Amino acid sequence: MRSDLISYAHKAMYPRRTSLWGISGLLVQFLCTRPPIGPREYAMSSVPFRRRRRLRRGGEVTPSADWADLPIDALLSVFHKLEPIELMVGSAGRVCRSWRRVVRDEPELWRHIDMRVKKDHRHPIDEGMAKEAVRRGSGRCEAFWGEDATDHFLVFLAEHAPTLKSLRLISSNHISNEGLMVAINKFPMLEELELSLCKNVFGKVYEVIGKACPRLRSFRLSYPCFYSIEYAEYNKNEEAMGIAAMSALCSLHLFGSELTNKGLTAILDNCTHLEHLDIRHCFNIYMDTALRAKCSRIKTMKLPHDSTKDYEFQIGHPIRTLSRKTRRDCAFYGSILQIFG
């Protein structure tokens, strides 16, 4: 019965997600339509005494839709199809005590937590909800993806998810350099990091990340648009020199960065394992002969003027300015919204 339930649920839900009510209906349908297996005594013994049904004349047992008796691995297989927000505020935990216990107390469900805002979300996601999801992981959380994170939450995450391997932070303008540097030193096993549209993270913090996370293999840094300050004294490669300290990188995605050929050369020289490079909208990069030769070992590469059709954020118009205002001083961060399907 267990394998049938798993395959039945998987077939019904793949490739698109099913709502909690849909999954509840799926389980009810399965339990109420599947005939009992094995001898009559086995079928009877699998149903609690107070819920047993009378035998039909032909000796067949009418199966009971006893959701509480479902094996935990079958429940986990179904619940893994749901997002954390659906598990927390949906109806899965209201079906019965055993389901509620699994949703609340089974760390396996909370190893990968995606709290990003999606178009079809009907429930707001706040920091309290994100903290509760991390708590339910009981120290086993390996991936956290979210928006609007704060310094306080990062410290909390570092304390409750010491084995974190993937951290993706989007539109988190309340994260500062100081807060990130405190937290990042507590993630020595981190392999993937994304900092997209986080306007208060900049400069030398990337060098700190490189030293604190020696296993970091994938790094993504996205800006709302290309923004380049054109006066001579301004250092356009500060972040690039910091990224060059991430020597284990295999994949690097820089969108809208103001780095120049000098900065990219430093990255290529120090990140010798780099195989995937995306530098779209990095319009200070000019692919001359020397730079193309250095990039010849890169397996997949997207250049500054390549298509952005697969890019999931809205993109602002490129800006070149003689003003000393940094991109952090501009208002466009507040108007750039994430687009999820």
Side-chain angles (χ1 to χ4, degrees), residues 321-332:
T321 180
L322 294 174
S323 169
R324 291 177 180 265
K325 278 188 175 182
T326 67
R327 66 169 76 234
R328 298 183 301 280
D329 300 320
C330 298
F332 49 64

PDB file of all heavy atoms in Angstrom, residues 321-332:
ATOM      1  N   THR A 321      27.024  57.710 -14.867  1.00  0.00           N
ATOM      2  CA  THR A 321      26.872  59.022 -14.245  1.00  0.00           C
ATOM      3  C   THR A 321      28.208  59.564 -13.756  1.00  0.00           C
ATOM      4  O   THR A 321      29.117  58.804 -13.399  1.00  0.00           O
ATOM      5  CB  THR A 321      25.887  58.940 -13.059  1.00  0.00           C
ATOM      6  OG1 THR A 321      25.761  60.223 -12.460  1.00  0.00           O
ATOM      7  CG2 THR A 321      26.368  57.939 -12.018  1.00  0.00           C
ATOM      8  N   LEU A 322      28.322  60.890 -13.736  1.00  0.00           N
ATOM      9  CA  LEU A 322      29.482  61.566 -13.160  1.00  0.00           C
ATOM     10  C   LEU A 322      29.222  61.934 -11.702  1.00  0.00           C
ATOM     11  O   LEU A 322      30.107  62.470 -11.028  1.00  0.00           O
ATOM     12  CB  LEU A 322      29.812  62.827 -13.972  1.00  0.00           C
ATOM     13  CG  LEU A 322      30.297  62.583 -15.401  1.00  0.00           C
ATOM     14  CD1 LEU A 322      30.456  63.902 -16.147  1.00  0.00           C
ATOM     15  CD2 LEU A 322      31.600  61.809 -15.400  1.00  0.00           C
ATOM     16  N   SER A 323      28.022  61.656 -11.253  1.00  0.00           N
ATOM     17  CA  SER A 323      27.676  61.928  -9.855  1.00  0.00           C
ATOM     18  C   SER A 323      28.449  61.000  -8.929  1.00  0.00           C
ATOM     19  O   SER A 323      28.823  59.887  -9.301  1.00  0.00           O
ATOM     20  CB  SER A 323      26.171  61.727  -9.649  1.00  0.00           C
ATOM     21  OG  SER A 323      25.849  61.732  -8.276  1.00  0.00           O
ATOM     22  N   ARG A 324      28.673  61.462  -7.711  1.00  0.00           N
ATOM     23  CA  ARG A 324      29.346  60.626  -6.726  1.00  0.00           C
ATOM     24  C   ARG A 324      28.345  59.788  -5.929  1.00  0.00           C
ATOM     25  O   ARG A 324      28.735  59.085  -4.995  1.00  0.00           O
ATOM     26  CB  ARG A 324      30.192  61.488  -5.781  1.00  0.00           C
ATOM     27  CG  ARG A 324      31.389  62.114  -6.487  1.00  0.00           C
ATOM     28  CD  ARG A 324      32.172  63.016  -5.568  1.00  0.00           C
ATOM     29  NE  ARG A 324      33.322  63.607  -6.256  1.00  0.00           N
ATOM     30  CZ  ARG A 324      34.546  63.106  -6.227  1.00  0.00           C
ATOM     31  NH1 ARG A 324      34.795  62.005  -5.545  1.00  0.00           N
ATOM     32  NH2 ARG A 324      35.534  63.685  -6.878  1.00  0.00           N
ATOM     33  N   LYS A 325      27.087  59.857  -6.286  1.00  0.00           N
ATOM     34  CA  LYS A 325      26.091  59.024  -5.631  1.00  0.00           C
ATOM     35  C   LYS A 325      26.299  57.567  -6.038  1.00  0.00           C
ATOM     36  O   LYS A 325      26.411  57.248  -7.223  1.00  0.00           O
ATOM     37  CB  LYS A 325      24.675  59.442  -6.042  1.00  0.00           C
ATOM     38  CG  LYS A 325      24.131  60.629  -5.267  1.00  0.00           C
ATOM     39  CD  LYS A 325      22.661  60.840  -5.599  1.00  0.00           C
ATOM     40  CE  LYS A 325      22.053  61.932  -4.749  1.00  0.00           C
ATOM     41  NZ  LYS A 325      20.601  62.107  -5.043  1.00  0.00           N
ATOM     42  N   THR A 326      26.332  56.689  -5.057  1.00  0.00           N
ATOM     43  CA  THR A 326      26.438  55.264  -5.366  1.00  0.00           C
ATOM     44  C   THR A 326      25.056  54.721  -5.694  1.00  0.00           C
ATOM     45  O   THR A 326      24.033  55.385  -5.474  1.00  0.00           O
ATOM     46  CB  THR A 326      27.014  54.486  -4.173  1.00  0.00           C
ATOM     47  OG1 THR A 326      26.071  54.521  -3.088  1.00  0.00           O
ATOM     48  CG2 THR A 326      28.335  55.091  -3.716  1.00  0.00           C
ATOM     49  N   ARG A 327      25.021  53.503  -6.198  1.00  0.00           N
ATOM     50  CA  ARG A 327      23.728  52.888  -6.518  1.00  0.00           C
ATOM     51  C   ARG A 327      22.876  52.738  -5.265  1.00  0.00           C
ATOM     52  O   ARG A 327      21.657  52.705  -5.334  1.00  0.00           O
ATOM     53  CB  ARG A 327      23.918  51.551  -7.233  1.00  0.00           C
ATOM     54  CG  ARG A 327      24.557  50.475  -6.411  1.00  0.00           C
ATOM     55  CD  ARG A 327      24.475  49.114  -7.097  1.00  0.00           C
ATOM     56  NE  ARG A 327      25.416  48.971  -8.189  1.00  0.00           N
ATOM     57  CZ  ARG A 327      25.071  48.625  -9.434  1.00  0.00           C
ATOM     58  NH1 ARG A 327      23.810  48.413  -9.719  1.00  0.00           N
ATOM     59  NH2 ARG A 327      25.974  48.481 -10.374  1.00  0.00           N
ATOM     60  N   ARG A 328      23.488  52.635  -4.100  1.00  0.00           N
ATOM     61  CA  ARG A 328      22.730  52.499  -2.851  1.00  0.00           C
ATOM     62  C   ARG A 328      21.943  53.753  -2.513  1.00  0.00           C
ATOM     63  O   ARG A 328      20.989  53.699  -1.743  1.00  0.00           O
ATOM     64  CB  ARG A 328      23.683  52.157  -1.701  1.00  0.00           C
ATOM     65  CG  ARG A 328      24.417  50.854  -1.877  1.00  0.00           C
ATOM     66  CD  ARG A 328      25.290  50.539  -0.686  1.00  0.00           C
ATOM     67  NE  ARG A 328      26.291  51.566  -0.438  1.00  0.00           N
ATOM     68  CZ  ARG A 328      27.435  51.677  -1.107  1.00  0.00           C
ATOM     69  NH1 ARG A 328      27.700  50.821  -2.090  1.00  0.00           N
ATOM     70  NH2 ARG A 328      28.307  52.623  -0.816  1.00  0.00           N
ATOM     71  N   ASP A 329      22.368  54.895  -3.065  1.00  0.00           N
ATOM     72  CA  ASP A 329      21.685  56.159  -2.795  1.00  0.00           C
ATOM     73  C   ASP A 329      20.510  56.401  -3.728  1.00  0.00           C
ATOM     74  O   ASP A 329      19.780  57.375  -3.567  1.00  0.00           O
ATOM     75  CB  ASP A 329      22.673  57.330  -2.923  1.00  0.00           C
ATOM     76  CG  ASP A 329      23.820  57.209  -1.945  1.00  0.00           C
ATOM     77  OD1 ASP A 329      23.550  56.812  -0.790  1.00  0.00           O
ATOM     78  OD2 ASP A 329      24.976  57.490  -2.334  1.00  0.00           O
ATOM     79  N   CYS A 330      20.336  55.541  -4.704  1.00  0.00           N
ATOM     80  CA  CYS A 330      19.272  55.738  -5.692  1.00  0.00           C
ATOM     81  C   CYS A 330      17.998  55.032  -5.258  1.00  0.00           C
ATOM     82  O   CYS A 330      18.007  54.089  -4.481  1.00  0.00           O
ATOM     83  CB  CYS A 330      19.723  55.242  -7.061  1.00  0.00           C
ATOM     84  SG  CYS A 330      21.159  56.149  -7.685  1.00  0.00           S
ATOM     85  N   ALA A 331      16.904  55.508  -5.813  1.00  0.00           N
ATOM     86  CA  ALA A 331      15.595  55.016  -5.379  1.00  0.00           C
ATOM     87  C   ALA A 331      15.125  53.791  -6.140  1.00  0.00           C
ATOM     88  O   ALA A 331      14.099  53.208  -5.786  1.00  0.00           O
ATOM     89  CB  ALA A 331      14.557  56.129  -5.536  1.00  0.00           C
ATOM     90  N   PHE A 332      15.856  53.365  -7.188  1.00  0.00           N
ATOM     91  CA  PHE A 332      15.294  52.313  -8.032  1.00  0.00           C
ATOM     92  C   PHE A 332      15.216  50.961  -7.338  1.00  0.00           C
ATOM     93  O   PHE A 332      14.535  50.061  -7.801  1.00  0.00           O
ATOM     94  CB  PHE A 332      16.052  52.175  -9.355  1.00  0.00           C
ATOM     95  CG  PHE A 332      17.545  52.100  -9.250  1.00  0.00           C
ATOM     96  CD1 PHE A 332      18.177  51.047  -8.598  1.00  0.00           C
ATOM     97  CD2 PHE A 332      18.317  53.078  -9.814  1.00  0.00           C
ATOM     98  CE1 PHE A 332      19.548  50.969  -8.529  1.00  0.00           C
ATOM     99  CE2 PHE A 332      19.704  53.015  -9.749  1.00  0.00           C
ATOM    100  CZ  PHE A 332      20.316  51.978  -9.106  1.00  0.00           C
TER     101      PHE A 332
END
